Amino acid sequence: MAFPKIKIGMVGLGTVGSGVWKILHRHQALLSQRAGAKLEISKVIVRSKKKKRPVRLPAKVLNSNIQTVLDDPEIKLIVEVMGDVRASRQLALKAFRAGKHLVTANKALLALHGKELFQEAKKNRVDICFEAAVGGGIPILRALREGFVGNRIDSLYGILNGTCNYILTEMSERKTSFPETLKQAQKLGYAEADPRFDVGGIDAAHKLAILVSIAHGVFVDFPKIFVEGIQGITPFDLECADRFGFEIKLLAITKKNGDKIQARVHPTMISKDSMLAAVKGVNNAVFLEGDFVGEGMLYGRGAGSEPTASAVVGDIVEVARNILAKVAYTVPPLGTHAAHIGNAAIEPIGEWRGPYYLRFQAIDRPGVLAQIAKILSEFGISISAVHQQVREEGREVPIVVLTHDAQEKSVVKAIAKINRLKNIRRATTLIRIEEFCQ
Ligand SMILES: NC(=O)c1ccc[n+]([C@@H]2O[C@H](COP(=O)([O-])OP(=O)(O)OC[C@H]3O[C@@H](n4cnc5c(N)ncnc54)[C@H](OP(=O)(O)O)[C@@H]3O)[C@@H](O)[C@H]2O)c1
């Protein structure tokens, strides 16, 4: 049976783009049967046509002018895997206005300009799909939009950045420092040359913005998401976590709290017995609680050429099926119909209540712990455990305190006061503890 042909223009042929090219060629027959159409990438846009590529493609396919995919009337679908936010936004808006559908892997683009893009896609009755933007090969967005559609999502916890999870796993298992482990991650290709977006939590926050939108049917003002990276975590913190029965993970968290929505990314202590604690190395996972389905977790490879390309191809097939059926926008991209999506009321982090791990760097003198305890109590914070590993009179030592539930703004004020004590030598480390899925 001859299949109708759907021509695709792909912008970018790097890590993800070459994976997409590979899958579409290796699985050409299979994908034709599944999509009901022959999927052909007829143009690929790159910056440099001379660069060596991991895939071979006909010279006539490669081009360096983005406009050529926009101007080609035979191209109905554009796959954007270039990663430049400004250029991608321009490309997306022009594509929609030219009646072309878009598949993108660009989380920053959606976190920063999602609202504008969704509105423009709807106006022009074209699809915008972005499964690869969150969790790489894990189809979490489709699961939230479709499989879990019967549920209110009460909470969601994601390990969404493989670089951070790799670093924390290695630091915990090998007792290595953050800078040393980061270097190792860069050597192995698990961290970028400029790792600030990853280790600073921004990458995870971009992904969280998309998850919050789909989980709760809201637009998110990205700067309102609280973000803290993993740079301040030490092997000592990981050792203490272990002693108290915890693991430290960089978690992206969203929960509903009445009318307010929590959206935060930060290092988090979680029980060693929880399923998320078992997610090691570069892997990603999303644990969620739906009011009817209960607890569930999706796990897998969150980045890399082939897992990410797998998610892009899933989107390509969805769009191809829609093109054949002459429909678009049948599943709203955020899972909620546009007329019913409001702006999220994000709860400020100061309102968060929970237990804390606090590490004070203090000069070991009689009475220091009593001073710390007194200030914590002034702010209504009660202590559940204290740990001081070494005693070296007159030297700087770490003193660890675990608290019962306390409000973040009180904890921050108490720490500010404690940091001013003359026996406190460095800013205090604060790590939030989450109690779930025990
Ligand atoms: N890598 C992953 O594991 C992963 C996972 C999930 C999502 N993503 C997202 O996928 C997207 C692509 O990531 P990647 O890792 O594949 O990036 P990459 O390896 O750096 O590849 C980017 C590609 O886009 C091309 N390009 C960049 N700017 C361009 C421009 N202004 N005009 C034309 N072509 C341009 C580059 O051309 P040249 O080759 O000529 O330089 C290159 O082929 C990003 O949005 C990223 O966040 C990546």
Side-chain angles (χ1 to χ4, degrees):
M1 175 187 158
F3 290 103
K5 202 182 269 183
I6 291 180
K7 290 199 175 182
I8 300 164
M10 184 160 77
V11 184
L13 189 67
T15 306
V16 181
S18 48
V20 173
W21 178 271
K22 222 191 276 177
I23 297 179
L24 286 193
H25 282 79
R26 195 172 306 161
H27 283 331
Q28 197 180 67
L30 190 68
L31 289 169
S32 297
Q33 287 158 15
R34 289 179 175 171
K38 186 170 179 223
L39 307 172
E40 181 191 309
I41 301 183
S42 59
K43 279 197 175 71
V44 173
I45 310 298
V46 289
R47 270 179 305 210
S48 157
K49 282 166 65 177
K50 293 206 177 108
K51 208 171 185 178
K52 251 186 118 170
R53 311 273 165 194
V55 288
R56 282 165 62 93
L57 55 170
K60 67 174 182 17
V61 172
L62 213 56
N63 204 301
S64 57
N65 180 0
I66 294 187
Q67 195 58 37
T68 57
V69 289
L70 291 163
D71 291 343
D72 186 335
E74 291 196 335
I75 290 178
K76 300 280 182 254
L77 163 60
I78 294 180
V79 174
E80 182 278 305
V81 280
M82 71 174 146
D84 173 328
V85 173
R86 253 178 70 141
S88 300
R89 176 176 164 268
Q90 285 305 325
L91 170 68
L93 292 173
K94 286 184 188 165
F96 298 152
R97 288 165 195 160
K100 297 181 196 294
H101 309 277
L102 183 83
V103 169
T104 177
N106 196 330
K107 53 248 167 186
L109 172 74
L110 295 157
L112 303 174
H113 304 290
K115 187 173 181 178
E116 176 192 24
L117 297 180
F118 297 133
Q119 286 170 347
E120 200 61 29
K122 182 167 192 303
K123 199 165 115 190
N124 291 284
R125 302 202 52 73
V126 289
D127 279 321
I128 171 168
C129 296
F130 45 93
E131 184 62 65
V134 182
I138 307 171
I140 178 63
L141 304 187
R142 201 162 268 115
L144 274 174
R145 252 189 321 245
E146 299 177 41
F148 294 120
V149 72
N151 290 265
R152 183 188 66 223
I153 302 300
D154 291 329
S155 62
L156 181 152
Y157 306 82
I159 294 178
L160 301 176
N161 186 275
T163 306
C164 289
N165 206 53
Y166 171 81
I167 291 174
L168 291 173
T169 306
E170 288 293 298
M171 283 175 70
S172 171
E173 288 175 0
R174 299 190 199 287
K175 320 266 176 261
T176 47
S177 70
F178 173 77
E180 190 186 338
T181 320
L182 172 60
K183 245 185 234 153
Q184 169 76 0
Q186 285 169 322
K187 221 192 262 170
L188 293 171
Y190 295 154
E192 303 278 341
D194 179 354
R196 284 174 297 181
F197 252 50
D198 289 319
V199 300
I202 305 290
D203 173 77
H206 283 152
K207 295 166 181 168
L208 179 65
I210 298 169
L211 288 171
V212 171
S213 289
I214 300 181
H216 307 303
V218 289
F219 290 122
V220 178
D221 184 14
F222 183 72
K224 295 211 170 111
I225 295 182
F226 175 79
V227 188
E228 199 177 275
I230 62 165
Q231 305 94 321
I233 305 293
T234 64
F236 177 79
D237 296 323
L238 288 150
E239 204 183 307
C240 284
D242 183 57
R243 181 182 293 267
F244 287 115
F246 297 118
E247 289 266 356
I248 303 178
K249 297 286 182 191
L250 182 79
L251 290 194
I253 301 170
T254 180
K255 290 186 204 179
K256 271 219 129 151
N257 189 8
D259 295 346
K260 296 274 168 58
I261 289 171
Q262 295 182 2
R264 49 196 165 90
V265 173
H266 51 72
T268 314
M269 284 197 181
I270 54 175
S271 165
K272 272 201 256 189
D273 300 330
S274 64
M275 286 198 285
L276 280 178
V279 177
K280 307 280 186 194
V282 292
N283 290 304
N284 278 202
V286 175
F287 177 89
L288 57 79
E289 292 169 290
D291 60 344
F292 282 95
V293 73
E295 297 176 346
M297 188 169 105
L298 283 88
Y299 164 88
R301 287 161 69 194
S305 179
E306 293 178 3
T308 311
S310 155
V312 172
V313 172
D315 282 348
I316 291 175
V317 170
E318 179 179 327
V319 175
R321 287 171 176 154
N322 284 350
I323 291 173
L324 289 182
K326 298 191 170 45
V327 294
Y329 231 83
T330 49
V331 180
L334 295 181
T336 298
H337 280 283
H340 301 282
I341 301 183
N343 293 322
I346 303 286
E347 184 178 274
I349 191 71
E351 300 304 317
W352 189 71
R353 263 190 86 75
Y356 289 83
Y357 162 99
L358 305 174
R359 169 168 52 81
F360 303 99
Q361 290 294 135
I363 300 297
D364 192 9
R365 291 215 171 92
V368 174
L369 183 56
Q371 281 180 313
I372 291 172
K374 183 168 170 286
I375 295 175
L376 290 176
S377 135
E378 259 174 49
F379 287 87
I381 301 157
S382 64
I383 293 174
S384 65
V386 175
H387 170 66
Q388 184 178 344
Q389 198 156 304
V390 280
R391 297 243 36 210
E392 285 186 68
E393 184 91 28
R395 306 281 295 265
E396 181 184 319
V397 292
I399 298 174
V400 167
V401 165
L402 297 196
T403 75
H404 288 295
D405 280 8
Q407 188 151 41
E408 174 109 0
K409 57 185 167 205
S410 305
V411 174
V412 168
K413 279 185 200 154
I415 287 178
K417 189 162 177 189
I418 292 168
N419 285 346
R420 289 197 293 275
L421 293 174
K422 87 172 185 318
N423 285 322
I424 297 293
R425 285 304 156 95
R426 282 167 221 267
T428 298
T429 295
L430 165 167
I431 303 176
R432 295 162 195 86
I433 301 172
E434 281 282 343
E435 289 162 332
F436 67 101
C437 60
Q438 314 267 349

